Amino acid sequence: MVAKHEVAIAAFNSSASMLATASTHGTLVRIFSVLSLDQVHEYRRGTEPATIFYLGFNPMSSLLVVASDKGTFHVFDIAEQSNNQSGVLAAAAGALARVPAALYSYKKFTMSEPGPFRCHFLDDDELLLLSYSGTAYLSKLMNGQDCKPNVYFIFFNQYLNADL
């Protein structure tokens, strides 16, 4: 099933009907149907190697977020495949290999501080990111074109300045 795709990280959706995997190179992300064991989607995070530290589906399993050590977050639209970008290289590779071309994310943002981040979907289009420095960010993924997170709160400063 995934013999040609050395898996570095994997995540189930909330119903455990889909499994997302990222390669050790951090360039390919694949989604498999757990029931049929078939690959149903393939996405390209980029062409340069990266360490993937987060894969996550939103509650409705319509979006997949992939975060890397490069500080980038890629959002793939599982429900509407046409929203994802197809690059020239992806189209050529797909035509040569006679397999569906890998799609690129339809939204991407880069954080200003280094990762890794812990992530959690608050609902279908809101992603909460917590950096190791204690800053929490909130990103509205489906709201307009810009999904860059805004500082939501600085968790550790609240406790560092409190009288104990």
Side-chain angles (χ1 to χ4, degrees):
M1 176 171 74
V2 291
K4 296 179 184 175
H5 177 78
E6 289 186 44
V7 175
I9 187 171
F12 287 103
N13 66 342
S14 60
S15 66
S17 62
M18 290 190 284
L19 175 68
T21 65
S23 67
T24 54
H25 288 96
T27 55
L28 286 178
V29 176
R30 294 181 175 146
I31 298 178
F32 298 89
S33 164
V34 173
L35 295 176
S36 69
L37 303 180
D38 291 330
Q39 178 182 315
V40 292
H41 301 294
E42 182 173 278
Y43 302 108
R44 182 163 291 282
R45 184 216 45 89
T47 55
E48 294 182 22
T51 300
I52 304 301
F53 60 82
Y54 177 78
L55 283 175
F57 292 92
N58 67 342
M60 294 292 293
S61 300
S62 59
L63 299 176
L64 178 71
V65 173
V66 178
S68 76
D69 64 342
K70 297 190 178 293
T72 58
F73 288 78
H74 296 263
V75 183
F76 298 96
D77 193 334
I78 299 167
E80 288 294 328
Q81 291 293 305
S82 61
N83 286 340
N84 297 305
Q85 306 294 313
S86 62
V88 174
L89 291 175
L96 293 174
R98 295 186 183 193
V99 296
L103 295 172
Y104 288 85
S105 56
Y106 88 108
K107 291 191 180 190
K108 173 186 168 183
F109 56 90
T110 303
M111 299 300 291
S112 58
E113 67 177 283
F117 289 84
R118 301 302 296 163
C119 307
H120 179 74
F121 274 99
L122 299 177
D123 61 28
D124 279 331
D125 72 341
E126 285 187 327
L127 184 65
L128 183 66
L129 313 166
L130 179 64
S131 72
Y132 275 31
S133 72
T135 305
Y137 298 87
L138 184 64
S139 177
K140 292 220 176 244
L141 301 176
M142 299 298 284
N143 189 10
Q145 296 300 315
D146 182 17
C147 61
K148 184 154 180 82
N150 295 313
V151 173
Y152 188 56
F153 63 87
I154 300 175
F155 182 75
F156 294 127
N157 280 354
Q158 291 177 346
Y159 296 99
L160 291 175
N161 297 327
D163 291 330
L164 297 177

